[in-house]
């Protein structure tokens, strides 16, 4: 190390590899990540009347609407499970992924001012969003467990099993998938602003091609190959099987789901690192 370098406690260098992630640097900025998490968590419902109650009300409203429309009017089967429990299990899982994706997809555009003033690892922002949504997920997950206990006490046939042990892995995969897609879209929106508008309704369309409001057992075998390529399909079916005892869990589907997740994360980091160098000149 040269004499001039010894005078500095932090040295910022350009990344040479597109897939280069300095985990040590992210760890050193952990206080900043926690600061972002606290800011996002506190301010999100700060000026609302009901405040944090929305964490619970939102999935309850969705469950009620889905039960009426898809359960009672459309009469879509739910693999013998109580309809509210079936829909709530899907909504809790889907919300975590969708929120991670939608909120991280706007990283560069929403933080242009702060990115242009001071250096810090840009990945701290989407990472903090994933952690903030993880807190919301656990609140809604606790609500789901309460629903499950209620229906079990009423005598509903619900069969939790050892697949519950895979729950931490499913949560990590959802976070990684939302993070990967989010930074991928965020990188592309610096050049193609149209994606900002496409993302919101694209997530809605994605939800309907994922077994959120119907079980995959209702899908014709002719079209099930499409669900193999959808990584969220396997996650939701596995989660539902683990806690409720109904769902299609196939090792091949899960393996492809993990492979797609790793691929999306790799492409997302590659583009993010590339755009990070020059996005201020574009925006």
């Amino acid at each position: 190390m040269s004499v001039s370098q010894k005078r500095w406690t932090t040295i910022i260098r350009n990344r040479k590899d597109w897939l280069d992630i300095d985990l040590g640097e992210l760890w050193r900025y952990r206080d900043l990540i926690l600061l972002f998490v606290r800011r996002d968590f506190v301010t999100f419902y700060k000026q609302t009347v009901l405040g944090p109650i929305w964490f619970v009300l939102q999935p309850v409203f969705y469950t009620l609407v889905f039960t009426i429309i898809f359960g009672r009017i459309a009469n879509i089967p739910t693999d013998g499970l109580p309809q509210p429990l079936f829909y709530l299990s899907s909504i809790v899982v889907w919300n975590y992924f969708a929120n991670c994706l939608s909120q991280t997809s706007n990283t560069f555009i929403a933080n242009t001012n702060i990115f242009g003033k001071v250096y810090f690892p840009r990945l701290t922002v989407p990472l903090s969003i994933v952690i903030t949504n993880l807190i919301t997920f656990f609140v809604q997950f606790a609500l789901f467990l309460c629903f499950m206990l209620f229906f079990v006490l009423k005598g509903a046939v619900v069969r939790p099993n050892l697949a519950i042990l895979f729950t931490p892995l499913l949560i990590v995969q959802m976070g990684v998938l939302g993070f990967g897609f989010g930074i991928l879209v965020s990188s592309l929106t610096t050049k193609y602003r149209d994606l900002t508008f496409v993302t919101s309704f694209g997530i809605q369309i994605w939800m309907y091609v994922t077994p959120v409001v119907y079980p995959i057992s209702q899908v014709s075998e002719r079209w099930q190959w499409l669900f193999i390529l959808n990584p969220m399909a396997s996650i939701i079916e596995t989660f539902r099987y683990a806690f409720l005892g109904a769902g299609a869990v196939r090792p091949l589907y899960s393996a492809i789901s993990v492979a797609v997740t790793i691929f999306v994360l790799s492409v997302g980091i590659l583009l993010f690192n590339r755009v990070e160098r020059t996005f201020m000149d574009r925006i």
Side-chain angles (χ1 to χ4, degrees), residues 217-248:
S217 59
Q218 295 300 309
V219 179
S220 167
E221 290 188 2
R222 177 185 176 188
W223 298 106
Q224 286 198 4
W225 63 273
L226 283 174
F227 290 82
I228 299 176
L229 300 177
N230 180 358
M232 281 304 296
S234 175
I235 292 174
I236 288 180
E237 284 290 312
T238 304
F239 181 87
R240 197 180 286 146
Y241 172 76
F243 286 89
L244 305 179

Side-chain angles (χ1 to χ4, degrees), residues 69-88:
I69 295 178
F70 298 106
R72 301 301 171 86
I73 298 178
N75 201 25
I76 297 176
T78 55
D79 281 348
L81 296 171
Q83 292 173 349
L85 196 56
F86 177 90
Y87 294 122
L88 183 60

Side-chain angles (χ1 to χ4, degrees), residues 37-169:
V37 170
R38 184 179 182 280
R39 179 201 63 181
D40 295 340
F41 189 78
V42 171
T43 60
F44 195 71
Y45 294 108
K46 191 172 184 179
Q47 295 183 340
T48 60
V49 176
L50 299 179
I53 297 177
W54 280 111
F55 287 125
V56 176
L57 283 184
Q58 187 185 36
V60 170
F61 282 153
Y62 272 116
T63 300
L64 182 62
V65 171
F66 285 1
T67 300
I68 294 173
I69 295 178
F70 298 106
R72 301 301 171 86
I73 298 178
N75 201 25
I76 297 176
T78 55
D79 281 348
L81 296 171
Q83 292 173 349
L85 196 56
F86 177 90
Y87 294 122
L88 183 60
S89 65
S90 309
I91 290 168
V92 168
V93 174
W94 176 259
N95 276 354
Y96 178 49
F97 164 73
N99 289 336
C100 289
L101 169 55
S102 63
Q103 294 173 24
T104 55
S105 66
N106 203 28
T107 298
F108 282 120
I109 304 297
N111 297 279
T112 302
N113 291 334
I114 190 172
F115 283 173
K117 292 179 180 176
V118 62
Y119 172 79
F120 58 89
R122 306 313 189 205
L123 281 175
T124 55
V125 175
L127 193 58
S128 68
I129 292 172
V130 172
I131 296 173
T132 303
N133 284 310
L134 186 62
I135 299 172
T136 306
F137 168 79
F138 281 124
V139 173
Q140 297 180 351
F141 180 65
L143 172 69
F144 163 70
L145 293 179
C146 292
F147 262 62
M148 192 171 78
L149 179 61
F150 171 77
F151 281 99
V152 168
L153 293 177
K154 283 187 63 178
V157 181
V158 177
R159 296 183 293 273
N161 50 70
L162 289 178
I164 285 179
L165 298 176
F166 291 103
T167 303
L169 297 179

